[in-house]
Amino acid sequence: MSIYNDLISKKESLALVGLGYVGMPIAHAFANKGINVIGFDLNKAKIELYKSGIDPTNEVGNDAIKSTKIMFTSNEDDLKKAKFIIVAVPTPVNTDHTPDLSPVIGASTIIGRNLTKGAIVVYESTVYPGCTEDVCIPILEKESGLKCGVDFKIGYSPERINPGDKVHRLENIKKIVSGCDKESLEEIKNVYDIVIEVGTYPVSNMRTAEAVKVVENSQRDINIAFMNELAMVFDRMDIDTNEVVDGMNTKWNALGFRPGLVGGHCIGVDPYYFTYEAEKLGYHSQIILNGRIVNDSMGAFIADQAVKKMIEAGQAPKRSKVTILGLTFKENCPDTRNSKVDDIIKQLRTYGITPVVVDPWANANDALKEYGIELKTMEDAKDSDCVIVAVAHNEFKNMSLSDIKKMYRDCDDSEKVLIDVKGLYSVSDLKDSKMNWWRL
């Protein structure tokens, strides 16, 4: 009997290794379909939160966590009970932009120690083409003493979950699936079809599936880099970039990209996985790396514009109180990983400015641990000289310019500096505000 049938009949269990922004929604989706699910994470504190009905990712929600039948555990021995194991651990980059495979290597080691004959292991973590075969399989075989393709099977199915997005969810995003052979591909497809309402898309091999993931995000990165470069040029031309984009988008084949900060665990990271492997094969990227350079420079560019505007307003930047609204890498999401708002903060610090950072979505402990930033409240933001709206959380989008003005010290409107990174306010409204403003 197949693993798919055994999962449906509850004879076997499915395990999720890594219960973050990607792993938790997958585990919950399978549990919702009546599958026995083991949710494993090394972070014992996170496991205790889930057990108490709290969802630190905010992807599934506390109510759903309280009612789920997922067996949450940090005990790796529990993985022995699973015949279908999905790996959804993060894959960041090192400071030199080379892949940091330590989470994947660690997960593979743990799984290998607890792997049983007949199991299927599927990796969802973003890696470069060939990584699953060249790095993961040898670890699984060494730790388990089993032979891939004979004693156990393996596959790759890149995650496509968009954290914070309540429209494009796991269930309605087409799922790329691949396996080490025809039999494993069929099993993997059948299992994912349990939860993917729009169906799966099988590809011929795991390297192709790995390539799909890094390329789709590299494409977005390059397009945003183009818009960011335009924004820097248009700033010198005194042309509003968003107005240009609005006009361009009236044409049927416009792509709709806009300038902005490119962070997070995917778009700001995945291109480096692709170029890393390309370099190993003797090819130096001409477009992808240059796109990364442009996007990685945007935080410093925005901070420099803020300082220029403060000087223009008659302020002494080093003595000015600067407030930044938002730290997470995207709106309405608590994920602070690879946030490019930190680049704004770092550049401001080179001018002797230590900004007040406010973010109702971000976890205070994560902000302190990852960036050394102590999050403040809106009350702490009073009497500001410069306000930088960096993330379009609903709490900030709902603030009118009149609300924003209340954050400043008592002074003439022309001395109040507003940096609208997300283009939340129209040019006409900004002009009418009489503030000293700039928007990306």
Side-chain angles (χ1 to χ4, degrees):
M1 186 175 283
S2 71
I3 290 178
Y4 166 77
N5 289 329
D6 287 343
L7 289 174
I8 293 294
S9 63
K10 294 182 177 291
K11 290 182 180 178
E12 297 291 354
S13 296
L14 177 150
L16 224 301
V17 176
L19 295 178
Y21 292 89
V22 173
M24 189 63 247
I26 298 169
H28 181 259
F30 276 107
N32 256 9
K33 294 294 184 178
I35 305 299
N36 291 330
V37 177
I38 300 166
F40 173 82
D41 200 291
L42 282 175
N43 189 329
K44 293 182 180 179
K46 183 189 291 184
I47 290 297
E48 289 306 312
L49 284 175
Y50 284 132
K51 284 182 175 179
S52 62
I54 297 173
D55 178 11
T57 71
N58 206 42
E59 287 298 300
V60 174
N62 294 345
D63 290 342
I65 294 297
K66 288 173 185 175
S67 61
T68 188
K69 289 183 170 55
I70 298 170
M71 187 190 90
F72 295 110
T73 181
S74 57
N75 180 2
E76 65 175 73
D77 288 341
D78 289 325
L79 294 176
K80 291 184 174 73
K81 305 170 187 174
K83 272 293 187 277
F84 195 95
I85 302 172
I86 298 174
V87 184
V89 295
T91 44
V93 292
N94 297 306
T95 54
D96 62 354
H97 296 148
T98 56
D100 177 5
L101 293 175
S102 57
V104 168
I105 291 171
S108 299
T109 302
I110 290 172
I111 292 167
R113 287 198 296 257
N114 299 280
L115 196 59
T116 59
K117 276 191 175 184
I120 294 179
V121 181
V122 181
Y123 288 83
E124 292 214 4
S125 306
T126 301
V127 292
Y128 54 80
C131 183
T132 303
E133 293 169 275
D134 300 340
V135 177
C136 301
I137 289 178
I139 295 172
L140 293 173
E141 290 183 330
K142 178 185 175 183
E143 295 295 329
S144 67
L146 304 175
K147 183 69 175 175
C148 182
V150 178
D151 301 313
F152 70 93
K153 299 294 179 75
I154 195 167
Y156 184 80
S157 179
E159 58 91 359
R160 281 176 157 178
I161 289 174
N162 188 22
D165 192 335
K166 303 305 180 185
V167 176
H168 303 99
R169 308 299 298 154
L170 171 72
E171 295 83 359
N172 61 19
I173 301 173
K174 183 77 77 172
K175 196 88 167 72
I176 304 294
V177 291
S178 66
C180 61
D181 55 26
K182 185 177 179 180
E183 181 187 29
S184 61
L185 175 58
E186 184 178 354
E187 283 282 2
I188 291 166
K189 172 179 167 52
N190 287 339
V191 171
Y192 275 111
D193 278 337
I194 296 171
V195 295
I196 307 299
E197 295 173 2
V198 294
T200 48
Y201 186 91
V203 295
S204 60
N205 55 67
M206 292 186 291
R207 288 173 181 258
T208 299
E210 291 164 328
V212 168
K213 175 59 177 177
V214 292
V215 168
E216 65 188 19
N217 279 334
S218 296
Q219 176 186 244
R220 286 185 59 79
D221 195 44
I222 291 166
N223 278 290
I224 298 170
F226 172 59
M227 301 311 301
N228 278 335
E229 188 166 69
L230 289 180
M232 289 188 277
V233 175
F234 286 148
D235 188 66
R236 299 185 180 193
M237 295 178 174
D238 196 27
I239 296 173
D240 183 75
T241 308
N242 277 294
E243 188 175 0
V244 172
V245 174
D246 288 340
M248 181 178 69
N249 285 343
T250 60
K251 192 178 180 185
W252 77 90
N253 58 355
L255 300 180
F257 289 97
R258 291 184 183 271
L261 299 170
V262 185
H265 67 295
C266 281
I267 300 178
V269 171
D270 294 358
Y272 287 124
Y273 275 75
F274 184 69
T275 57
Y276 169 80
E277 187 65 9
E279 291 276 1
K280 284 170 59 180
L281 297 171
Y283 182 81
H284 181 73
S285 167
Q286 303 297 307
I287 296 176
I288 299 172
L289 280 181
N290 283 318
R292 280 280 78 232
I293 291 169
V294 170
N295 286 341
D296 280 345
S297 71
M298 290 308 292
F301 172 69
I302 291 166
D304 289 342
Q305 301 312 305
V307 170
K308 287 178 183 178
K309 281 295 176 182
M310 283 186 270
I311 294 171
E312 188 180 292
Q315 299 180 21
K318 195 172 182 178
R319 293 194 293 272
S320 297
K321 181 176 180 179
V322 178
T323 293
I324 297 178
L325 299 181
L327 177 63
T328 61
F329 89 90
K330 67 181 294 186
E331 66 275 6
N332 304 323
C333 173
D335 195 347
T336 55
R337 289 176 296 173
N338 194 32
S339 170
K340 293 304 175 181
V341 177
D342 184 52
D343 290 346
I344 299 176
I345 296 167
K346 285 177 180 175
Q347 186 69 359
L348 288 175
R349 285 174 176 163
T350 67
Y351 292 100
I353 301 169
T354 301
V356 172
V357 182
V358 179
D359 193 316
W361 282 82
N363 180 280
N365 290 331
D366 290 345
L368 194 60
K369 181 180 177 181
E370 292 179 50
Y371 306 110
I373 295 169
E374 186 179 343
L375 292 178
K376 302 293 185 179
T377 66
M378 290 298 287
E379 186 67 23
D380 298 315
K382 284 184 176 179
D383 299 322
S384 293
D385 296 288
C386 171
V387 175
I388 302 175
V389 185
V391 184
H393 292 316
N394 286 340
E395 290 86 343
F396 304 146
K397 286 176 70 175
N398 293 333
M399 293 176 68
S400 65
L401 285 172
S402 297
D403 295 326
I404 293 286
K405 280 187 178 183
K406 294 174 184 176
M407 298 176 64
Y408 294 87
R409 61 181 171 84
D410 187 17
C411 62
D412 189 79
D413 285 343
S414 63
E415 297 175 40
K416 300 170 183 173
V417 175
L418 173 63
I419 306 298
D420 183 8
V421 176
K422 301 298 293 184
L424 298 185
Y425 305 103
S426 68
V427 171
S428 59
D429 287 344
L430 288 167
K431 286 180 178 179
D432 289 343
S433 74
K434 307 299 181 184
M435 287 190 287
N436 204 315
W437 59 273
W438 180 90
R439 75 173 193 164
L440 182 61

